[in-house]
Amino acid sequence: MTAPLLKAQSARFAALDPLLPAAVAPPPGDLITAALPDGERVAGMITKTTLDPGTPQTLWSAAKVWELHPMVGSSGGAGVDALLRRWPSIVANLSPGRDSACLSTWPSRDVTATAAFLAHGFVPLAVLAVRTGGPAPSGGPSSATVRRAVLSDLDALVASAMAEVEYSTLVGGAVLRAGAANIKRETLRRHLAQGDPVWIAEVDGIPVGHVEGWHTDSARGSWAETRVRHGRWGYVNCLSVLPTARGTGVGRALMDVAHAELLGPGTVGSFLYYNPPNPVSPVFWSRQHYRPLWTVWETRPATAIR
Ligand SMILES: CC(C)(COP(=O)(O)OP(=O)(O)OC[C@H]1O[C@@H](n2cnc3c(N)ncnc32)[C@H](O)[C@@H]1OP(=O)(O)O)[C@@H](O)C(=O)NCCC(=O)NCCS
């Protein structure tokens, strides 16, 4: 049943947005089905993820996540709505606790599903935004200098990363867990050790922000294949400017340097996540030529689904 649904879903996605990848079979989970008024049947796979305490994902995700992977063929929002109607009674049989979420990722441009997600209690907590093409021209001068970070910058990088978590906790899905600074420290240390690019911005030699990113290949079976078309992509993991330096061109200066390296020849484009309720990042990324590709809809806690 699911193969024809995925094929029709791929065709619909391609017509909606040329940057969407083909729909791929979801990971194993609990299969649910629903019937539309015209008798057409749709399916969805619900997977469960339980995060280990102390892992980096706990800083942007609920500890227990039930994810719906809709396979609704060409039906779009009507198919998504039929699946979402079934979900609350399934969640009612669970004891998810407060630190939990129901989540589903759907093409941002498929606005036929937006009303259904909102009606069932979901909020658009994150967007995967994408840009293709070469580096955008810089918007203007900045007093910041940008260089590759080294291990001795670790304290400054952790302070910058924590400024981003603290801000994102106010405006999106980030969670300020106990031990967050240590999690960031170990993650940054690992990135530096394996040579992933981390750039630091300084004004008069004082650190004021940083950005992390790397290349990722979207290929058959890879995580990136579920998000972007096959090829080599730049991924921007975290951009942060300290509160006292925001709005003075530091973020732009960091991205000029990061894009020059991430968007080299052979790269299709770059992508990243931001939170739509963040009042500064959507406009910032739009000016950096990014636009929404996927919207991540969530109810937190999971029992907020209706
Ligand atoms: C988002 C962030 C990284 C942007 O960096 P920044 O150094 O403040 O941004 P810049 O000064 O380079 O501004 C670039 C553009 O962003 C917008 N912008 C950013 N901050 C702004 C502000 N305080 N007021 C008005 N516009 C702002 C403007 O459109 C500006 O374009 P312009 O200079 O051509 O007018 C920074 O504000 C920040 O760290 N915010 C908190 C953490 C965060 O949201 N991180 C991103 C997570 S995805």
Side-chain angles (χ1 to χ4, degrees):
M1 172 191 182
T2 55
L5 287 171
L6 285 171
K7 194 165 174 239
Q9 184 151 299
S10 286
R12 186 164 179 279
F13 282 4
L16 270 173
D17 187 336
L19 289 181
L20 286 170
V24 292
D30 295 325
L31 189 70
I32 61 168
T33 59
L36 302 186
D38 65 1
E40 187 183 342
R41 292 196 77 81
V42 295
M45 193 72 84
I46 299 177
T47 56
K48 182 188 173 192
T49 305
T50 304
L51 299 180
D52 291 327
T55 53
Q57 294 93 316
T58 60
L59 299 184
W60 66 82
S61 169
K64 283 186 200 159
V65 178
W66 282 265
E67 180 167 2
L68 172 68
H69 305 263
M71 292 172 278
V72 298
S74 59
S75 68
V80 170
D81 185 50
L83 294 173
L84 293 179
R85 282 173 193 274
R86 297 223 38 219
W87 208 358
S89 62
I90 297 169
V91 174
N93 290 323
L94 309 168
S95 302
R98 292 291 307 165
D99 196 356
S100 65
C102 290
L103 180 152
S104 195
T105 299
W106 197 248
S108 302
R109 289 188 177 174
D110 187 10
V111 293
T112 68
T114 299
F117 279 116
L118 292 172
H120 291 284
F122 286 76
V123 291
L125 217 44
V127 152
L128 184 154
V130 67
R131 59 162 283 176
T132 51
S138 174
S142 160
S143 52
T145 55
V146 176
R147 63 171 171 81
R148 279 286 281 266
V150 292
L151 207 50
S152 57
D153 295 313
L154 201 51
D155 285 348
L157 294 174
V158 172
S160 178
M162 286 307 293
E164 192 275 331
V165 175
E166 280 159 21
Y167 195 88
S168 295
T169 299
L170 300 174
V171 296
V175 191
L176 192 56
R177 310 259 179 201
N182 279 335
I183 296 174
K184 282 288 180 193
R185 179 175 293 275
E186 288 319 307
T187 309
L188 280 156
R189 193 198 298 280
R190 198 177 61 246
H191 284 313
L192 289 170
Q194 64 196 27
D196 292 332
V198 179
W199 293 273
I200 188 164
E202 293 167 317
V203 173
D204 299 330
I206 310 285
V208 288
H210 87 291
V211 61
E212 305 156 33
W214 49 79
H215 284 109
T216 184
D217 289 312
S218 169
R220 193 170 291 279
S222 67
W223 169 83
E225 181 189 30
T226 63
R227 296 291 179 261
V228 286
R229 286 180 168 258
H230 284 175
R232 191 166 172 74
W233 290 79
Y235 178 65
V236 181
N237 181 51
C238 175
L239 169 69
S240 178
V241 174
L242 295 183
T244 49
R246 287 176 196 157
T248 61
V250 177
R252 212 172 44 213
L254 278 162
M255 290 317 302
D256 283 349
V257 175
H259 280 141
E261 187 161 328
L262 292 176
L263 294 170
T267 311
V268 185
S270 53
F271 65 100
L272 50 84
Y273 286 91
Y274 67 73
N275 301 127
N278 183 328
V280 287
S281 67
V283 64
F284 176 83
W285 292 121
S286 168
R287 291 179 77 104
Q288 293 285 322
H289 297 192
Y290 286 82
R291 56 88 164 169
L293 184 66
W294 295 96
T295 302
V296 185
W297 294 92
E298 283 195 48
T299 69
R300 286 196 200 181
T303 48
I305 192 170
R306 57 177 190 258

